[in-house]
Amino acid sequence: MPIPSLSEKDLEAYRNDLSNPEKSTGELFIKLNGLYQHFANNEQLLADFEYVSALNSLESSYASKKEHFNKEIAELKRQFKQLDNRIVAAEQKLRHGIPEDLLVMDKIIAEQESIVEDQEKLNNAETHIVEQVRKIDIEHGKALQKLEQQQNNRETPFKGKFSAFSEQIKNAEKAITLKVRGFSLLAIIGIPLIIDLFFGVIGLPTLFKGTNNIIFNHYIFLISLILIELFLADKIRNRISQMLSISYLKESLNTLGNLLTENKRQLAKTESEHRISFSEFVKKNGDALVD
């Protein structure tokens, strides 16, 4: 099943998830990574759309130029045909010998000179057209090669780009997890210590009162530590994880939103430049895009 493209609704749904305290940070990180995978599909569609649009424009321009020269060639053939008819007519006039009438002879000579002159013009025109057709064929071939190279150059870093996003999210989650463990340990130990110090101030045995029984001397600290570990430790870890993760997740979501906006801008630009609808492109090439 193909991965769907990213939409504004997906981003809005994720924003709601970030404000939902019941969502675990692990789940939020997994979903963020999934959103980037969806956006990779947007970028792939944009790359395909730009390539196909540029290719269609090249082919359309090439076909238009070829059609123009095909019309010129057709006109040139018509003129060559007329010239052949004039040559045949001139030859027929001389078939019965050279006419004695000098006026008629002058007309025949003038016609022959005109035929030679027109034939030279047509030959030059034919050479020019052949050269122009060869030129546009070469230019079209180079343009196709350049377009293919641009597509290949874009495809090469494309996969690495989103692998880097995924790796970045993974590393950020690991770093935050380490911080959560450290801060949670400080909180879980620090709260009982504060309680122990508080009761020490009012005269109960504490860490700072000397006694030979170390367990009794710290019973308030130990009891508080056990109770916090049993009833509050998970909440403390989750709370710290939320505090450290949400800011990163929001920043990553904003980055993804900016990337989606730029993606849409490029789509609109391509539609305008090549006068092609993206929705029509997806409809016509749906099967190929899924593959």
Side-chain angles (χ1 to χ4, degrees):
M1 183 176 179
I3 298 175
S5 300
L6 184 69
S7 68
E8 290 290 349
K9 290 183 179 180
D10 296 324
L11 298 182
E12 187 60 33
Y14 191 72
R15 288 190 187 94
N16 294 334
D17 288 340
L18 290 178
S19 60
N20 185 355
E22 295 182 1
K23 293 287 184 179
S24 68
T25 55
E27 183 181 354
L28 291 173
F29 270 100
I30 291 174
K31 191 167 184 179
L32 177 65
N33 192 53
L35 292 179
Y36 271 97
Q37 290 180 8
H38 290 182
F39 180 67
N41 193 40
N42 293 65
E43 287 289 273
Q44 185 63 62
L45 283 173
L46 173 61
D48 293 341
F49 182 51
E50 289 179 336
Y51 171 75
V52 171
S53 300
L55 180 61
N56 287 344
S57 293
L58 278 178
E59 294 294 349
S60 177
S61 176
Y62 177 66
S64 177
K65 292 177 181 177
K66 290 285 283 188
E67 182 181 4
H68 168 75
F69 284 112
N70 285 338
K71 289 180 179 179
E72 289 196 356
I73 290 172
E75 173 61 21
L76 202 60
K77 287 181 178 179
R78 187 187 67 81
Q79 293 181 24
F80 269 117
K81 180 78 172 175
Q82 289 180 340
L83 187 64
D84 289 340
N85 292 336
R86 289 170 61 191
I87 292 173
V88 171
E91 288 177 350
Q92 287 178 348
K93 291 178 181 179
L94 295 174
R95 187 166 298 171
H96 302 292
I98 298 174
E100 296 179 357
D101 191 333
L102 294 179
L103 183 59
V104 173
M105 188 62 191
D106 287 340
K107 288 182 178 180
I108 293 175
I109 294 173
E111 174 65 8
Q112 288 178 332
E113 290 177 348
S114 176
I115 289 174
V116 171
E117 184 179 348
D118 289 344
Q119 189 172 33
E120 185 177 357
K121 288 180 180 179
L122 291 177
N123 288 336
N124 290 338
E126 182 181 33
T127 301
H128 174 73
I129 291 175
V130 170
E131 179 62 26
Q132 289 299 111
V133 171
R134 188 183 72 86
K135 183 179 178 181
I136 65 170
D137 285 342
I138 293 174
E139 289 177 349
H140 182 63
K142 288 181 177 179
L144 288 176
Q145 187 177 15
K146 182 179 179 181
L147 184 62
E148 290 290 341
Q149 188 61 49
Q150 288 175 342
Q151 182 72 353
N152 292 335
N153 291 342
R154 183 168 182 173
E155 288 286 346
T156 301
F158 179 77
K159 296 179 181 179
K161 176 181 178 181
F162 287 95
S163 295
F165 277 134
S166 181
E167 189 67 22
Q168 183 183 22
I169 294 171
K170 183 179 179 181
N171 291 336
E173 186 177 12
K174 285 182 179 179
I176 290 174
T177 299
L178 290 175
K179 290 181 181 179
V180 168
R181 289 175 182 173
F183 287 127
S184 298
L185 183 61
L186 289 175
I188 292 171
I189 294 176
I191 293 173
L193 182 60
I194 293 172
I195 295 173
D196 188 73
L197 290 174
F198 173 76
F199 281 103
V201 172
I202 63 175
L204 292 177
T206 68
L207 178 65
F208 298 103
K209 282 192 173 287
T211 176
N212 293 329
N213 192 331
I214 189 168
I215 296 177
F216 179 75
N217 191 38
H218 302 293
Y219 78 95
I220 295 177
F221 172 79
L222 294 175
I223 292 173
S224 300
L225 181 62
I226 292 171
L227 291 175
I228 288 175
E229 183 62 40
L230 288 175
F231 300 106
L232 295 176
D234 287 340
K235 291 183 179 180
I236 290 173
R237 293 187 186 98
N238 291 336
R239 182 57 180 167
I240 294 175
S241 179
Q242 285 278 341
M243 292 173 61
L244 295 177
S245 300
I246 292 300
S247 60
Y248 171 79
L249 294 172
K250 284 183 177 180
E251 182 180 349
S252 295
L253 182 63
N254 290 335
T255 299
L256 187 56
N258 292 335
L259 290 173
L260 182 59
T261 299
E262 177 60 21
N263 178 275
K264 290 183 176 180
R265 190 187 71 80
Q266 289 294 334
L267 283 177
K269 180 181 178 183
T270 302
E271 285 183 318
S272 176
E273 286 181 353
H274 299 283
R275 297 179 181 179
I276 181 174
S277 168
F278 178 67
S279 59
E280 287 297 321
F281 162 76
V282 173
K283 187 184 298 183
K284 289 180 181 179
N285 301 275
D287 295 337
L289 295 174
V290 169
D291 296 337

